[in-house]
Amino acid sequence: MFHKSPILFPTDFSHYALYAMKYAIAFAKKFGGPIYLAHVLDPALSGGKHGMWRASNIPERASAAMRQQAETRLACVERIISSEGVDVVSFMVQGRPDAEIVRLAEEQNCGLIAIATHGRTGFDHMVFGSVAERVVRNATVPVLCIKHPEHEFVDGSELDLHIRKILFPTDFSEYADQALLYAASLCREFNAGLALCHVTEAAIVMPEYAPDTVGYFGADIDAHAHEALARLEKGIEGVPVESRLAIGVPYREICHTAEELAADLIVMPAHGASGISHFLFGSVADKVVRRALCPVLSLRPSHVAQAASS
């Protein structure tokens, strides 16, 4: 799975990134791989041909000073990671942060991206977006998103991983079934329990036009979901499994279930909706990443099958 694979840890030097760093170190210690530490200089902030600093007539030396400061801080973070006995390689690149993070992870054959998310919502999210969510949407490797503050599964002093329960939301798609193999493998690795969760979205029904179908429609879907969850449970060996079925808005029910079960980690498929589809309907994974009170590990179709079998 992650054994001996490099872990990409992007940092913007914020306290969010500092909090997330212990997860990157803990995974590196557990699985014996190096950390690839990365900082992306965003031209929109640091100057450059179209940077806003340039538009404000900020001199070239200001941009150079910003780069020098970033290099100094990157070296400081590198020393902290090295002091924990973990091999570390640093990268300083320029470009759009999410695109550069995805590119680095692919080019350097990383097995995991561990990234902090600021958890913006509302107007702030609409204006600024989220680098972590865009990385989740486009990365070709698993992405571990960590938000501060939240339910932790890393011991603060020894930086050991303590994962006792993993929540896996499923929509019963073929891809979700493949991702479940990955989640079950993680449970075996950490001797953790697995909670399966399916959320049925409440149907919009007009009883005045079909009053006899309302109860039957809901019961039929409910029965199908119970049968599907039971089928998944039977297919998982060597892991204690429980199931939860909920009706409502998927991301809300997933986050609520994780909190109710005190889940240490949510492992979920990210289907990678983009363009007009993502604009209209959003992504459940995006919203869970933004709101969950525990870390979220997202999986994409391009890598889940090979990761689960490794």
Side-chain angles (χ1 to χ4, degrees):
M1 192 170 291
F2 305 126
H3 290 282
K4 304 296 182 181
S5 296
I7 295 171
L8 182 64
F9 173 57
T11 180
D12 59 0
F13 310 120
S14 65
H15 70 277
Y16 298 99
L18 185 63
Y19 178 82
M21 180 174 65
K22 65 183 180 182
Y23 283 85
I25 294 173
F27 270 87
K29 283 186 168 185
K30 168 72 175 177
F31 296 104
I35 288 178
Y36 286 0
L37 176 65
H39 177 70
V40 182
L41 293 168
D42 189 346
L45 300 176
S46 61
K49 186 175 181 180
H50 301 292
M52 63 183 182
W53 278 24
R54 188 73 75 219
S56 302
N57 298 317
I58 300 297
E60 177 69 29
R61 61 178 178 273
S63 179
M66 190 173 182
R67 172 180 282 274
Q68 185 176 8
Q69 183 185 48
E71 289 174 348
T72 300
R73 298 172 83 175
L74 197 65
C76 180
V77 176
E78 185 176 344
R79 286 194 296 271
I80 294 172
I81 294 173
S82 295
S83 71
E84 294 292 338
V86 175
D87 292 334
V88 56
V89 179
S90 293
F91 295 86
M92 176 84 77
V93 296
Q94 183 166 315
R96 200 180 76 190
D98 58 293
E100 291 303 313
I101 290 167
V102 170
R103 180 187 63 80
L104 274 174
E106 187 171 354
E107 288 185 356
Q108 300 301 322
N109 295 314
C110 296
L112 176 70
I113 299 172
I115 187 170
T117 175
H118 294 205
R120 290 190 178 104
T121 59
F123 181 76
D124 277 352
H125 185 269
M126 183 178 70
V127 174
F128 299 106
S130 167
V131 171
E133 289 167 34
R134 289 193 293 269
V135 169
V136 164
R137 215 172 298 149
N138 297 300
T140 56
V141 301
V143 182
L144 177 67
C145 295
I146 307 105
K147 182 170 79 267
H148 174 69
E150 66 180 359
H151 175 91
E152 299 184 14
F153 63 77
V154 173
D155 177 87
S157 55
E158 299 298 325
L159 295 180
D160 292 329
L161 296 170
H162 297 286
I163 301 178
R164 297 177 180 85
K165 179 160 290 187
I166 292 175
L167 176 66
F168 181 81
T170 178
D171 59 1
F172 305 128
S173 65
E174 181 180 353
Y175 168 51
D177 287 351
Q178 292 176 352
L180 178 57
L181 300 176
Y182 191 103
S185 179
L186 265 181
C187 286
R188 295 186 193 98
E189 182 78 46
F190 291 98
N191 195 28
L194 178 65
L196 302 176
C197 172
H198 175 73
V199 182
T200 300
E201 294 191 70
I204 300 175
V205 180
M206 298 181 181
E208 60 270 27
Y209 294 107
D212 296 332
T213 64
V214 178
Y216 173 78
F217 184 62
D220 188 53
I221 291 179
D222 193 55
H224 171 75
H226 276 296
E227 290 174 6
L229 284 171
R231 172 183 60 82
L232 292 179
E233 281 192 50
K234 290 180 181 178
I236 300 171
E237 298 180 356
V239 175
V241 185
E242 61 182 296
S243 296
R244 292 294 180 97
L245 181 61
I247 299 175
V249 179
Y251 78 87
R252 289 178 184 166
E253 295 303 324
I254 291 168
C255 292
H256 174 73
T257 301
E259 188 174 2
E260 187 179 66
L261 296 176
D264 298 299
L265 177 67
I266 299 172
V267 175
M268 68 180 301
H271 289 269
S274 59
I276 190 66
S277 176
H278 187 272
F279 177 76
L280 291 176
F281 302 106
S283 163
V284 174
D286 284 358
K287 292 171 183 175
V288 171
V289 163
R290 205 181 313 150
R291 292 172 170 84
L293 297 181
C294 66
V296 179
L297 181 66
S298 67
L299 309 172
R300 289 287 307 282
S302 56
H303 61 74
V304 64
Q306 63 191 39
S309 61
S310 62

